[in-house]
Amino acid sequence: MDYSAKFEPLTQFTTPCAVVGFYQKRKLTPAAAALDEALDGLILKLLKRDDIEGKAGEVYSIAHLPGSGIERLVLVGLGKKGEGGVAAYRKALAAAAKALKESNAKQAASLLHEAEVEGRDLGWKIRQFIELLEAGLYTFTQMKGGNGNGNHKPPRLAKLQFVLDGEEQTEAAKAAIRQGRAIAHGMKIAKDLANLPGNVCTPTYLADQAEHLARKSKFKARILDEKDLEELGMGAFLSVSKGSEEPARLIVLEYFGAPDKAAPYVLVGKGLTFDAGGISIKPAANMDEMKYDMCGGAGVIGTLAAVAELELPLNVVGLVPASENLPSGRANKPGDIVKSLSGITIEILNTDAEGRLLLCDALAYAKRYEPQAVIDVATLTGACVVALGRHPSGLWSNHEDLAAALLKAGEGSWDRVWRMPLWEDYQEQLKSNFADVANIGGPDGGSVTAACFLSRFAKDFPWAHVDIAGTAWKTGAEKGATGRPVPLLVQYLLDRIA
Ligand code: BES
Ligand code: MN
Ligand code: ZN
């Protein structure tokens, strides 16, 4: 999509399709009011006639406007004026995206950023528009056969202009477009990888794609194979992949946008390309969704791509341990004890708690970068979905400033996180009679004990864990990856500049 921002007086302006907001009780935004006046009150007349109120997300299209340079007008409800909530604005944006897709217009101009959203500036409103428009236009057709693909009509919309109120807004609008586009690209990369089935997106495929992206972009990729992992001593990680025919990979991505001596931010993403649970096998219902168990890894890859596109003046490292978790004659068995890279031994009481076995070795590996902070993102526990539902991701951290920065980045990007306790009190649930630690902590507080497990491998740096089990994909009729936590991570990194 070609995005632009320009100041233009609305009444002389020509476009095949204009998107304009109005509030509940038919209170018009400045742009809608100006158009209404130029059209002799036609807009209000039609809204009244058809009893359209302006509830958030309500859409009313006027397909033909005689005597106007605007060929088609899409009016989008913004909800109650004065309430100015983010949720209502995002509802309006999603509805606008749907209407633009269905309009078949090739070009459009938007004025939705006129909407009042409390505490949010023009740049934020433009960025959100781009993210929600790209999400609305996204379709995953890679796996449709000849006919299926032939039936799919790609959206026609190719150009979108933000119509500004004054010349002085141009700079901020252009910066927002650049950020919005990079975040949307990163989300698309993450979604495409995540939506691929496990028989296509294997650890090797994921590594190949990361290398391919790195070649096109300004970051480097290094792929460690099982021999490398063995030499390093990543016994926990390797134990998970033993049960699979597909070899494990550790994907190492490095982006240097700052001087070499600047300590990097390390992002670690769980990359289980399929999680059947191993010997402690999962129930059959919805097991297909465990192809999404690599959403953390995909999010890290997408984030690196966005960071490189934005040429951020930071050093950022991405670590994606990638493996399958399957039952087989070589798979981990309950009671097995493995030795992690850190030297800590782990009793595997449930082979389905495999994510932490990969992540603990990746966290230990992160130490060699002498990082400024380490953030892991992982579809780690079903218990997190039980605790928080599917709106926020769970956040745990051993460092107050890092936790605060992530909460702020979540609010800023609207890819929100909710902090959970990492109290010492929970640690005793991980006691093992035979090894240093058990890989599960019993039925109570499953998402918390998973974080507590990881914390033992993250003692040497500021660390945060983000459980994205409830947020990385949608289940049910709308099944598909969401692209989260790319907005959160990119926002966190943007906030580190200046
Ligand atoms: N990948 C799953 C977590 C998961 C489950 C995410 C369902 C999203 C939806 C993870 O590897 C897992 O199986 N966790 C177990 C841990 C348990 C065995 C302690 C879980 O959540 O049941
Ligand atoms: Mn599992
Ligand atoms: Zn898993």
Side-chain angles (χ1 to χ4, degrees):
M1 186 83 57
D2 174 20
Y3 292 101
S4 61
K6 224 161 94 191
F7 163 60
E8 269 188 81
L10 201 62
T11 39
Q12 314 152 17
F13 155 84
T14 63
T15 178
C17 181
V19 186
V20 174
F22 69 112
Y23 299 98
Q24 215 150 311
K25 297 197 181 148
R26 296 187 275 270
K27 287 198 184 128
L28 301 185
T29 52
L35 281 173
D36 189 53
E37 201 187 314
L39 293 163
D40 293 327
L42 178 69
I43 294 179
L44 271 180
K45 199 166 111 190
L46 292 179
L47 289 176
K48 261 185 217 141
R49 183 195 69 186
D50 291 343
D51 198 24
I52 307 295
E53 293 185 34
K55 287 199 206 82
E58 205 174 4
V59 171
Y60 186 72
S61 285
I62 306 177
H64 181 56
L65 288 170
S68 159
I70 295 172
E71 287 173 38
R72 169 182 7 202
L73 183 63
V74 177
L75 290 157
V76 182
L78 299 170
K80 288 203 183 101
K81 188 172 158 73
E83 286 196 350
V86 172
Y89 181 60
R90 285 180 53 102
K91 228 177 185 178
L93 295 185
K98 188 160 175 272
L100 280 171
K101 186 176 173 186
E102 285 164 3
S103 78
N104 277 329
K106 285 189 197 155
Q107 289 185 33
S110 174
L111 283 131
L112 278 184
H113 49 271
E114 278 194 341
E116 293 163 13
V117 190
E118 207 190 321
R120 308 288 174 165
D121 60 13
L122 174 73
W124 184 88
K125 288 185 275 185
I126 287 180
R127 251 178 62 176
Q128 289 283 314
F129 186 103
I130 295 174
E131 283 174 35
L132 281 154
L133 178 63
E134 297 289 339
L137 298 180
Y138 177 86
T139 46
F140 182 76
T141 55
Q142 275 183 63
M143 300 307 295
K144 299 275 189 191
N147 280 339
N149 235 339
N151 289 340
H152 169 70
K153 261 178 51 190
R156 291 179 81 202
L157 189 66
K159 274 191 178 174
L160 193 114
Q161 184 192 337
F162 296 99
V163 184
L164 306 179
D165 217 17
E167 212 63 74
E168 73 289 352
Q169 294 180 337
T170 320
E171 208 176 309
K174 290 206 163 139
I177 289 174
R178 196 159 167 263
Q179 289 180 2
R181 209 196 272 136
I183 293 169
H185 280 166
M187 292 172 81
K188 178 168 159 44
I189 288 167
K191 287 196 308 198
D192 281 345
L193 289 171
N195 283 328
L196 282 169
N199 63 330
V200 175
C201 185
T202 59
T204 306
Y205 179 92
L206 200 59
D208 287 349
Q209 291 303 303
E211 276 192 310
H212 177 71
L213 275 165
R215 271 196 296 277
K216 294 198 307 188
S217 184
K218 288 185 184 130
F219 61 88
K220 293 195 198 76
R222 207 152 37 85
I223 309 301
L224 307 195
D225 64 17
E226 290 193 342
K227 206 171 124 270
D228 300 324
L229 304 181
E230 194 129 10
E231 277 166 19
L232 279 163
M234 292 196 172
F237 178 1
L238 279 169
S239 78
V240 175
S241 81
K242 265 192 325 183
S244 159
E245 300 285 322
E246 290 289 340
R249 293 284 181 265
L250 176 62
I251 303 169
V252 181
L253 308 174
E254 292 171 342
Y255 167 80
F256 290 104
D260 282 2
K261 61 178 195 314
Y265 296 92
V266 178
L267 309 175
V268 179
K270 174 177 173 182
L272 261 293
T273 59
F274 191 76
D275 177 14
I279 297 298
S280 313
I281 195 164
K282 290 181 179 298
N286 300 326
M287 210 212 266
D288 66 294
E289 293 187 10
M290 282 300 115
K291 72 175 184 179
Y292 287 121
D293 211 17
M294 37 61 74
C295 279
V300 167
I301 295 170
T303 299
L304 263 287
V307 165
E309 182 174 334
L310 290 169
E311 302 182 304
L312 297 190
L314 304 169
N315 293 337
V316 183
V317 173
L319 299 176
V320 181
S323 172
E324 292 183 331
N325 185 25
L326 296 175
S328 91
R330 287 179 186 281
N332 276 331
K333 302 173 295 295
D336 283 1
I337 294 175
V338 297
K339 187 167 181 183
S340 69
L341 173 58
S342 68
I344 296 172
T345 59
I346 303 162
E347 186 182 15
I348 302 172
L349 291 175
N350 189 318
T351 69
D352 199 8
E354 84 298 337
R356 59 198 81 182
L357 298 175
L358 273 66
L359 293 171
C360 72
D361 279 347
L363 288 172
Y365 189 79
K367 191 179 164 188
R368 69 187 54 204
Y369 287 97
E370 295 177 22
Q372 204 147 156
V374 178
I375 302 168
D376 78 71
V377 290
T379 49
L380 201 62
T381 64
C384 188
V385 192
V386 174
L388 295 175
R390 294 178 189 273
H391 302 291
S393 304
L395 170 70
W396 289 259
S397 181
N398 63 8
H399 192 272
E400 292 310 305
D401 292 346
L402 177 58
L406 282 165
L407 284 164
K408 179 168 172 274
E411 282 290 316
S413 60
W414 212 250
D415 180 358
R416 290 171 299 172
V417 294
W418 190 259
R419 190 160 182 197
M420 303 274 282
L422 191 69
W423 297 338
E424 202 51 42
D425 312 51
Y426 291 94
Q427 290 284 355
E428 66 190 46
Q429 286 176 243
L430 293 169
K431 184 176 167 295
S432 161
N433 282 358
F434 306 105
D436 298 331
V437 66
N439 80 326
I440 54 169
D444 295 350
S447 68
V448 180
T449 50
C452 286
F453 178 91
L454 294 178
S455 74
R456 300 189 179 215
F457 302 84
K459 291 208 153 105
D460 299 321
F461 36 72
W463 158 79
H465 158 60
V466 181
D467 194 331
I468 56 171
T471 56
W473 76 90
K474 286 187 191 155
T475 184
E478 304 259 276
K479 193 186 288 179
T482 61
R484 292 174 72 177
V486 172
L488 170 76
L489 294 176
V490 176
Q491 185 66 53
Y492 168 76
L493 293 168
L494 280 169
D495 292 345
R496 298 307 101 210
I497 306 165

